[in-house]
């Protein structure tokens, strides 16, 4: 390590330096390392894995790193030229801090100044500036050493929640002062919300030069002057313009809809002076509204010191209900994006070599393909960002907006991940497009309604600022007409008749509806309201159910009518039993519960209570989670009878179920061309083309009526052997070889005449059979059919190497269908069969291969299976039906209609299979699954 550098020498060198940023930054940083006695990046980490210049440059397509210097777990450091705007450098670090693994410090420097911004979670942010003169002092040097060695020295002991609580307490005193002077509660609250927003705006730089605080201090001895100046300021904020020498942005948004301001006495001015000294940029929006509602609403001021619902609590619902599907989709999009980028980058290197070697023009085919892939990548990521920005969230009991704020922040955080990936892959760096306009709320309380809008806007502005994206375009506070003040469950028409209020259509409904026990509803809301409510929701919500049940029923109806997709609501634990549970029964009838917390701590009106949380939809979500455990079913009482995730793969089921071939090319051909190949003269090897031309089947063909396709299939033949089948080989060489040479997979390029996955094991398994069983990998219904052994299935089909009716019957029974639905995965609304979890775990009545063939139970299953297939075939292909009618007769349409004869045929088969297990014929789905799971465990342990 190089000897330490004296502070005087460091300061003297850099005070007189006039080098530009690019020429000075690395030398300046190395000198800093010498100044504090720390190893340089090259000395400490020659590979640049944890301490490096230009962090992430190798990943960024433009060559620019995420930070000029990065020390893992300590800091990201960005340089600018002398006298440059360091705030822009800080904004850049904020945009890329996730890519830098969120270091505790974000440092910016212009040679003469080092500005240290803290980046700790759940602490008030601090900013420390070190000048050249500071580095001549022991304290300044110690602080610089702490940047390298002890970032926690900069960590504030105060949390945003503490700042927010302190601010709320002070505002409660202000509200009380206005009340004493006779100002009505609602106008007083509106005035105070304006003041708190002004305090926030000046601390985030939206109001210039601490303008509001200066007004307060200048008016200390003349309170009347403050009222006049505030009216003038509010007017300027409504439209934009000049306030004295200061230019004021256009805020509007309804908060500054007039210039009303109230006189404040000296005590109130003292309170304002104190709150002006707080750092309002650090308030926590997830609790902001709740605490300030208590401050402003006279009926809730007794709760000011009580507990509040935290952001972490709110995320318990927002994450599984709103974010989980988006995150699953994001995983897929990322994988696809990186795969496209990898193919493009191979072309980038190839194009570079091509242009160097032969002087290719900029419009060479490789360059065009590279541009196409870049555009494809951009469209993929832009479309997913747009998908996030289209998400509509409704909280039908939004209170002061904490659920809406948390939802907004999660959507913004996810979109930022998309923005960062776009930048990393070199397809642009757009601004986030998620906005508060995606949020919808319903709230009956006037204080909470107004605070909800302010909470959302403060949270949005704060997120933009904290992530390096500046401020909203003007008007900064756009009206949020999507947050309404109204009753969410009961309204009246023009004639006074009770009607159901209309809720906004939304993708997701989340919230914390009011908890009011059935016995207290009439007492709190009055006889007329309750009588109207009971009449309006008769036969949907039982009389005297808890009030929260009406929100559950409304949300269920929104989903059932297609006006929402998912919902996640809170209720007291009473939702699990008695009359309250009827609303969950109803949810199960028209959809399903996919997520629940049966027993959880919560805060209700400042007091700790136990609650249940329920996430539900139309039944399309096939994964289930109860109390943070994966389950196969969530019952209306928020329990789950059987956990099928404990099922074991059974060795007895191995080598029976196979996936079909993967073509990776246009090997499938139409009937006419196949016939011409099959009728062609024998080949030079004396063999017919029937050796390599076979009927072909995909999953779609099983459930729909499609023209027969054929397949050129060379399996694992050598090129020499395949070439002896002259016409099929020449077809493949002409049409498949060119495309295969573009494939990133080496095997696909080298063995271009073979399927990507020949599935030889599958072909061998069925070769000796007279037929085999097939089912689509993805299908609305779990349907099985018989297939001739010469037919080759593709990878959209799973085949079973059995040709007996008994085995077919068990597969097509209700028992196996239930098992496969619960243990399979989901693709939108189409269940996906997964052999390892669905077939290889399924316990047959007897171990496969050990069935007693002469047992009457085996024969009964075989007979029922034969009759089902015969009846289906007769329906699919009636001899006297017109061609137009035949075209409509598909297995999908048949099972959509499910005529009585089909139901009876399946009932006969199901009964025969239940008899084979020795079980009763009237078992519930859960009891069947429970017994199958027990049998699975027995077989696995045998």
């Amino acid at each position: 390590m190089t000897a330490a550098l004296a502070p005087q020498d460091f300061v003297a060198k850099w005070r007189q330096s006039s080098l530009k940023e690019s020429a000075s930054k690395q030398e300046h940083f190395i000198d800093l390392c010498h100044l504090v006695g720390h190893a340089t990046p090259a000395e400490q980490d020659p590979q640049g894995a944890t301490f490096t210049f230009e962090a992430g440059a190798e990943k960024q397509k433009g060559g620019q790193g995420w930070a000029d210097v990065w020390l893992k777990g300590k800091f990201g450091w960005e340089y600018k030229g002398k006298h440059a705007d360091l705030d822009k450098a800080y904004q850049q670090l904020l945009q890329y801090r996730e890519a830098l693994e969120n270091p505790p410090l974000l440092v910016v420097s212009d040679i003469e100044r080092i500005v240290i911004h803290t980046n700790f979670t759940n602490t008030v942010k601090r900013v420390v500036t070190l000048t050249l003169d500071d580095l001549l002092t022991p304290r300044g040097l110690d602080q610089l050493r702490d940047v390298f060695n002890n970032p926690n020295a900069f960590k504030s002991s105060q949390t945003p929640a503490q700042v927010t609580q302190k601010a709320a307490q002070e505002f409660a005193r202000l509200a009380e002062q206005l009340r004493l002077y006779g100002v009505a509660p609602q106008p007083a609250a509106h005035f105070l919300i304006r003041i708190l927003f002004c305090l926030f705006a000046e601390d985030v730089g939206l109001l210039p030069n601490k303008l509001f605080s200066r007004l307060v201090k200048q008016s200390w001895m003349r309170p009347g002057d403050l009222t006049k100046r505030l009216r003038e300021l509010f007017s300027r904020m409504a439209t934009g313009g000049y306030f004295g020498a200061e230019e004021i942005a256009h805020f509007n948004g309804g908060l500054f809809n007039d210039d009303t301001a109230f006189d404040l006495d000296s005590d109130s001015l003292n309170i304002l002076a104190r709150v002006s000294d707080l750092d309002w940029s650090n308030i926590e929006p997830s609790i902001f509204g709740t605490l300030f509602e208590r401050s402003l609403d006279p009926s809730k001021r007794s709760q000011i010191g009580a507990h509040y619902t935290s952001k972490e609590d709110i995320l318990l619902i927002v994450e599984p209900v709103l974010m989980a599907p988006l995150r699953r989709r994001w995983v897929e999009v990322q994988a696809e994006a990186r795969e496209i980028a990898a193919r493009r980058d191979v072309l980038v290197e190839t194009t570079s070599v091509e242009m160097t070697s032969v002087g290719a023009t900029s419009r060479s085919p490789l360059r065009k393909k590279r541009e196409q892939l870049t555009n494809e990548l951009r469209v993929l990521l832009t479309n997913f960002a747009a998908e996030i920005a289209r998400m509509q969230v409704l909280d039908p009991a939004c209170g002061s907006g904490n659920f809406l704020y948390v939802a907004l922040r999660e959507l913004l955080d996810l979109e930022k991940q998309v923005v960062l990936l776009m930048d990393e892959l070199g397809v642009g760096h757009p601004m986030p497009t998620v906005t508060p306009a995606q949020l919808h709320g319903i709230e009956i309380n006037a204080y909470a309604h107004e605070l909800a809008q302010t909470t959302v806007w403060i949270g949005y502005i704060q997120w933009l600022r904290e992530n390096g994206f500046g401020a909203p375009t003007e008007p900064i506070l756009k009206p949020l007409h999507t947050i309404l003040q109204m009753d969410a469950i009961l309204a009246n028409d023009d004639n006074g008749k009770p009607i159901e209020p209309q809720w906004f259509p939304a993708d997701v409904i989340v919230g914390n509806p009011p908890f009011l026990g059935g016995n207290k509803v009439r007492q709190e809301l009055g006889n007329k309201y309750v009588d109207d409510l009971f009449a309006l929701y008769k036969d949907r919500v039982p009389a005297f159910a808890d009030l929260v049940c009406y929100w559950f029923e409304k949300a269920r109806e929104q989903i059932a009518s297609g006006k929402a997709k998912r919902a996640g609501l809170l209720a007291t634990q009473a939702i699990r039993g008695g009359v309250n549970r009827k609303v969950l029964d109803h949810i199960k009838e028209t959809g399903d519960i996919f997520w629940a917390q049966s027993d959880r701590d919560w805060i209700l009106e400042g007091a700790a209570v136990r609650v249940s949380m329920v996430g539900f939809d139309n039944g399309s979500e096939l994964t289930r989670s109860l109390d943070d455990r994966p389950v196969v079913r969530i019952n209306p009482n928020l329990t789950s009878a059987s956990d099928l995730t404990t099922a074991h793969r059974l060795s007895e089921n191995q080598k029976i179920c196979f996936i079909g071939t993967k073509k990776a090319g246009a090997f499938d051909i139409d009937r006419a061309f196949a016939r011409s190949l099959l009728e062609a003269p024998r080949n030079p090897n004396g063999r017919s083309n029937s050796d390599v031309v076979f009927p072909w089947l995909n999953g779609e063909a099983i459930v729909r009526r499609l023209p027969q396709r054929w397949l050129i299939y060379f399996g694992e033949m050598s090129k020499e052997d395949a070439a002896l089948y002259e016409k099929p080989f020449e077809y493949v060489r002409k049409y498949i070889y060119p495309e295969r040479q573009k494939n990133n997979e080496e095997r696909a390029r080298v063995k271009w005449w073979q399927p990507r996955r020949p599935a030889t094991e599958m072909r061998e398994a069925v070769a000796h059979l007279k037929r085999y069983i097939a089912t689509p990998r993805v299908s609305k219904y779990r349907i099985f059919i018989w297939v001739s052994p010469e037919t080759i299935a593709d990878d959209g089909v799973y085949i079973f190497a059995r040709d007996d009716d008994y085995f077919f019957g068990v597969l097509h029974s209700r028992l196996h269908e239930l098992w496969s639905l619960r243990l399979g995965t989901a693709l939108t609304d189409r269940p996906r069969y997964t052999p390892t979890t669905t077939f290889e775990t399924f316990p047959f009545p007897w171990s496969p291969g050990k069935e007693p063939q002469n047992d009457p139970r085996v024969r009964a299953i075989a007979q029922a299976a034969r009759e089902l297939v015969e009846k289906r075939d007769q329906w699919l292909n009636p001899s006297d039906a017109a061609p137009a009618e035949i075209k409509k007769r598909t297995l999908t349409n048949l099972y959509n209609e499910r005529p009585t004869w089909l139901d009876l045929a399946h009932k006969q088969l199901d009964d025969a299979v239940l008899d084979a297990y020795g079980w009763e014929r009237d078992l519930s789905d859960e009891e069947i699954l429970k017994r199958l799971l027990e049998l699975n465990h027995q077989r696995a342990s045998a």
Side-chain angles (χ1 to χ4, degrees):
M1 187 183 300
T2 307
L5 182 65
Q8 293 81 4
D9 294 336
F10 176 89
V11 172
K13 173 180 177 178
W14 291 103
R15 197 187 297 278
Q16 65 184 0
S17 174
S18 59
L19 292 173
K20 293 183 178 180
E21 174 197 345
S22 59
S24 64
K25 58 186 180 183
Q26 292 196 8
E27 184 174 349
H28 181 270
F29 186 80
I30 289 171
D31 281 356
L32 285 175
C33 292
H34 296 160
L35 180 62
V36 298
H38 193 280
T40 66
E43 291 170 339
Q44 178 170 315
D45 182 15
Q47 286 74 40
T50 59
F51 191 15
T52 183
F53 291 111
E54 285 296 334
E58 75 282 358
K59 297 181 180 179
Q60 296 284 88
K61 296 307 155 192
Q64 175 66 40
W66 289 309
D68 288 327
V69 196
W70 174 60
L71 178 54
K72 183 176 181 178
K74 300 294 178 61
F75 58 76
W77 193 305
E78 188 69 21
Y79 275 95
K80 290 295 177 186
K82 217 173 209 182
H83 309 303
D85 184 354
L86 291 184
D87 187 57
K88 288 185 178 179
Y90 177 54
Q91 296 296 308
Q92 181 176 333
L93 283 176
L94 286 172
Q95 289 186 21
Y96 295 119
R97 60 183 175 180
E98 291 86 357
L100 300 170
E101 301 180 25
N102 261 315
L105 301 179
L106 300 175
V107 185
V108 292
S109 175
D110 70 350
I111 308 303
E112 292 185 337
R113 293 172 296 159
I114 299 171
V115 184
I116 305 155
H117 297 261
T118 61
N119 188 44
F120 298 97
T121 57
N122 199 35
T123 67
V124 170
K125 289 178 173 53
R126 292 183 60 207
V127 181
V128 176
T129 300
L130 298 177
T131 65
L132 289 175
D133 289 335
D134 291 324
L135 298 182
L136 295 173
T137 68
R139 174 171 171 75
L141 276 177
D142 284 344
Q143 287 182 308
L144 184 60
R145 290 189 185 97
D146 284 336
V147 173
F148 287 84
N149 302 313
N150 183 27
N152 283 332
F154 296 93
K155 188 174 184 177
S156 171
S157 60
Q158 197 173 30
T159 68
Q162 290 169 333
V163 173
T164 311
Q165 286 178 296
K166 175 69 173 176
Q169 290 166 355
E170 294 285 14
F171 261 75
R173 297 185 180 96
L174 270 178
E176 183 62 20
Q177 290 296 110
L178 290 175
R179 187 188 68 80
L180 290 174
Y181 281 91
V183 180
Q186 188 58 38
H190 187 70
F191 172 59
L192 293 175
I193 292 171
R194 286 177 169 180
I195 289 177
L196 68 85
F197 183 81
C198 288
L199 289 164
F200 170 77
E202 71 172 12
D203 280 353
V204 297
L206 293 175
L207 281 179
N209 301 320
K210 302 288 284 186
L211 175 60
F212 187 86
S213 296
R214 285 192 287 117
L215 287 181
V216 172
K217 291 171 184 176
Q218 290 168 2
S219 306
W220 192 283
M221 302 302 294
R222 300 184 301 278
D225 286 355
L226 179 61
T227 306
K228 179 181 178 182
R229 303 296 297 279
L230 287 181
R231 284 176 176 164
E232 184 181 350
L233 176 62
F234 294 161
S235 294
R236 295 290 76 76
M237 294 178 76
T239 60
Y242 280 92
F243 180 83
E246 304 288 2
E247 186 174 7
I248 306 300
H250 180 196
F251 286 87
N252 197 1
L255 185 56
F256 300 98
N257 53 353
D258 58 38
D259 67 351
T260 301
F262 298 106
D263 292 332
L264 300 173
D265 61 12
S266 57
D267 289 339
S268 297
L269 283 177
N270 286 334
I271 295 170
L272 268 185
R274 290 199 301 272
V275 298
S276 296
D277 290 334
L278 297 173
D279 185 354
W280 284 77
S281 67
N282 276 297
I283 57 176
E284 174 49 62
S286 65
I287 63 171
F288 165 86
T290 298
L291 296 184
F292 277 84
E293 183 186 354
R294 295 174 186 175
S295 300
L296 303 178
D297 189 339
S299 67
K300 296 188 176 182
R301 285 186 195 151
S302 62
Q303 301 170 20
I304 286 175
H307 298 289
Y308 51 81
T309 301
S310 69
K311 178 169 64 178
E312 291 69 30
D313 288 334
I314 296 168
L315 280 170
L316 288 173
I317 288 182
V318 170
E319 179 59 36
V321 177
L322 170 64
M323 298 307 299
L326 286 171
R327 295 198 200 284
R328 291 198 296 261
R329 172 83 176 116
W330 176 225
V331 169
E332 296 172 354
V333 169
Q334 285 183 91
E336 185 177 353
R338 293 195 182 278
E339 190 273 333
I340 295 171
R343 286 192 281 133
R344 178 199 62 182
D345 295 345
V346 169
L347 289 176
V348 169
E349 296 173 6
T350 306
T351 304
S352 177
V353 171
E354 176 193 54
M355 294 183 70
T356 301
S357 61
V358 299
T361 67
S362 62
R363 300 305 297 167
S364 70
L366 287 176
R367 187 178 182 88
K368 289 180 183 178
K369 182 62 176 177
R370 185 190 71 192
E371 292 171 354
Q372 290 172 1
L373 289 172
T374 297
N375 187 60
E376 183 180 342
L377 184 58
R378 182 182 295 109
V379 169
L380 171 69
L381 293 173
T382 301
N383 284 349
F384 182 67
E387 188 177 326
I388 301 170
R390 286 194 300 269
M391 289 297 297
Q392 303 291 308
V393 181
L394 167 65
D395 184 346
C398 70
S400 47
N402 52 1
F403 270 75
L404 293 176
Y405 158 73
V406 171
L408 177 66
R409 188 173 187 99
E410 291 300 299
L411 292 172
L412 283 163
D413 284 346
L414 182 58
E415 190 181 13
K416 184 180 179 184
Q417 293 181 40
V418 183
V419 169
L420 288 175
L421 186 60
M422 292 182 74
D423 196 49
E424 177 189 337
L425 300 181
V427 290
H429 185 96
M431 285 284 291
T433 54
V434 168
T435 72
Q438 295 170 236
L439 308 179
H440 305 266
I442 300 173
E443 176 52 46
I444 196 169
N445 181 280
Y447 301 98
H449 170 255
E450 186 161 9
L451 273 166
Q453 300 172 70
T454 306
T455 297
V456 166
W457 274 114
I458 284 179
Y460 180 60
I461 294 167
Q462 198 177 63
W463 187 92
L464 292 177
R465 178 175 179 268
E466 290 175 356
N467 287 275
F469 293 104
T473 57
E474 296 185 26
I476 291 170
L477 299 179
K478 299 170 182 65
L480 285 180
H481 300 304
T482 54
I483 300 179
L484 302 181
Q485 184 184 354
M486 57 179 269
D487 190 318
I489 58 173
L490 181 64
N492 296 97
D493 63 16
D494 294 338
N495 298 317
K497 179 183 177 182
I499 58 172
E500 280 191 55
Q502 293 297 309
W503 286 9
F504 292 103
D507 295 287
V508 170
I509 299 170
V510 292
N512 180 8
F515 299 168
L516 190 60
N519 294 330
K520 297 181 179 179
V521 172
R522 191 174 293 274
Q523 177 184 340
E524 294 287 333
L525 302 178
N527 289 332
K528 183 180 187 311
Y529 185 95
V530 171
D531 290 341
D532 288 346
L533 197 65
F534 286 179
L536 193 61
Y537 292 88
K538 184 181 179 182
D539 300 327
R540 293 167 59 195
V541 179
F544 304 107
D546 289 357
L547 192 65
V548 71
C549 293
Y550 293 89
W551 273 262
F552 274 80
E553 168 55 23
K554 284 282 290 180
R556 182 209 63 79
E557 192 278 332
Q558 289 284 106
I559 293 170
S561 63
K563 296 177 182 176
K565 297 176 182 176
R566 297 159 71 93
L569 299 174
L570 277 91
T572 60
Q573 288 193 74
I575 195 79
R576 300 188 295 172
V579 295
N580 293 320
R581 200 175 70 200
K582 296 296 182 182
V583 295
L584 299 187
D585 289 333
H586 202 184
I587 285 170
K588 295 280 290 183
E589 291 167 5
T590 62
D592 209 349
I593 299 170
F594 63 83
W595 172 85
Q597 295 282 336
S598 62
D599 182 8
R600 191 86 191 193
D601 290 327
W602 197 256
I603 302 299
L604 171 62
E605 301 294 340
V609 296
R610 308 293 297 183
V611 301
S612 295
M613 307 177 189
V614 186
F616 51 98
D617 68 349
N618 64 358
S620 59
E621 175 63 81
L622 297 181
T623 61
R624 305 280 182 271
S625 176
L626 175 63
D627 298 331
D628 301 318
R629 294 181 297 105
V631 295
V632 295
R633 175 186 175 89
I634 300 176
N635 299 316
N637 63 354
L638 304 187
T639 64
S640 183
S642 300
D643 185 359
L644 299 193
T645 61
T646 63
H648 303 283
R649 293 173 66 182
L650 303 175
S651 60
E652 63 198 46
N653 288 15
Q654 303 293 311
K655 306 297 183 182
I656 297 175
C657 183
F658 301 88
I659 191 169
T661 61
K662 177 75 172 177
K663 304 194 314 297
F667 290 90
D668 55 303
I669 57 178
D670 62 30
R671 177 181 295 179
F673 184 60
R675 180 178 297 171
S676 72
L677 294 179
L678 293 171
E679 292 175 354
R682 289 185 177 272
N683 292 290
N685 60 4
R687 304 288 299 178
S688 165
N689 285 334
S690 61
D691 289 353
V692 296
V693 178
F694 302 95
W696 179 71
L697 179 75
N698 65 5
E700 192 177 23
I702 293 176
V703 296
R704 296 176 58 190
R705 189 178 292 274
L706 301 177
Q708 174 68 57
R709 301 288 291 178
W710 292 67
L711 188 73
I712 297 175
Y713 175 81
F714 292 115
E716 295 186 81
M717 282 186 191
S718 68
K719 183 178 179 181
E720 291 74 15
D721 288 342
L724 292 173
Y725 296 91
E726 187 176 358
K727 287 188 176 181
F729 186 86
E730 290 305 311
Y731 173 89
V732 172
R733 187 186 62 80
K734 181 178 180 179
Y735 293 106
I736 295 173
Y737 171 79
E739 290 301 314
R740 278 292 191 90
Q741 297 316 297
K742 302 174 186 177
N743 199 300
N744 287 332
E745 184 179 347
E746 181 179 1
R747 186 193 181 283
R749 295 194 303 273
V750 174
K751 295 186 179 294
W752 49 266
W753 64 93
Q754 295 180 2
R756 181 180 178 186
R757 186 176 61 240
T760 305
E761 188 179 24
M762 176 269 289
R763 293 288 296 155
E764 293 173 351
V766 302
H768 68 285
L769 301 177
K770 61 183 181 182
R771 60 185 179 177
Y772 64 81
I773 305 166
T775 191
R777 180 176 59 181
V778 176
S779 177
K780 184 176 181 181
Y781 303 106
R782 184 49 48 208
I783 293 172
F784 298 82
I785 65 168
W786 287 115
V787 180
S788 61
E790 68 271 18
T791 300
I792 296 181
D794 85 335
D795 63 335
V797 176
Y798 288 112
I799 69 102
F800 303 83
R802 292 284 295 250
D803 60 1
D804 54 303
D805 292 305
Y806 155 81
F807 200 86
F808 183 100
V810 177
L811 285 179
H812 221 325
S813 70
R814 169 187 167 212
L815 289 79
H816 182 250
E817 181 178 23
L818 285 172
W819 188 265
S820 64
L821 286 174
R822 298 296 174 84
L823 285 175
T825 58
L827 183 67
T828 61
D829 63 339
R830 296 168 294 155
R832 177 186 288 156
Y833 196 90
T834 51
T836 53
T837 59
T838 56
F839 176 77
E840 293 181 1
T841 59
F842 181 73
F844 283 76
W846 296 275
S847 297
K850 297 182 180 180
E851 306 88 359
Q853 294 300 320
N854 293 324
D855 192 299
R857 293 170 295 177
V858 173
R859 293 200 300 271
I861 293 172
Q863 178 62 29
R866 280 193 296 273
E867 291 181 9
L868 170 64
V869 172
E870 288 169 1
K871 291 172 181 175
R872 277 195 333 202
D873 288 345
Q874 289 168 6
W875 183 89
L876 288 168
N877 300 293
S879 58
D880 55 350
E885 175 63 20
I886 292 288
K887 189 175 181 180
K888 293 186 294 184
R889 296 202 171 208
T890 68
L891 284 173
T892 294
N893 288 338
L894 174 61
Y895 279 84
N896 278 338
E897 296 171 11
R898 203 169 181 93
T900 301
W901 66 261
L902 183 63
D903 255 333
L904 292 174
H906 272 286
K907 177 67 166 57
Q908 180 181 353
L909 176 61
D910 295 338
D911 288 347
V913 173
L914 285 164
D915 291 345
Y917 282 96
W919 298 344
E920 304 91 319
R921 291 183 172 184
D922 58 351
L923 295 179
S924 68
D925 291 354
E926 283 302 326
E927 184 60 29
I928 288 173
L929 291 171
K930 177 184 176 183
R931 295 191 185 190
L932 287 172
L933 183 62
E934 291 171 351
L935 185 56
N936 169 275
H937 288 174
Q938 292 171 16
R939 296 269 180 86
S941 61

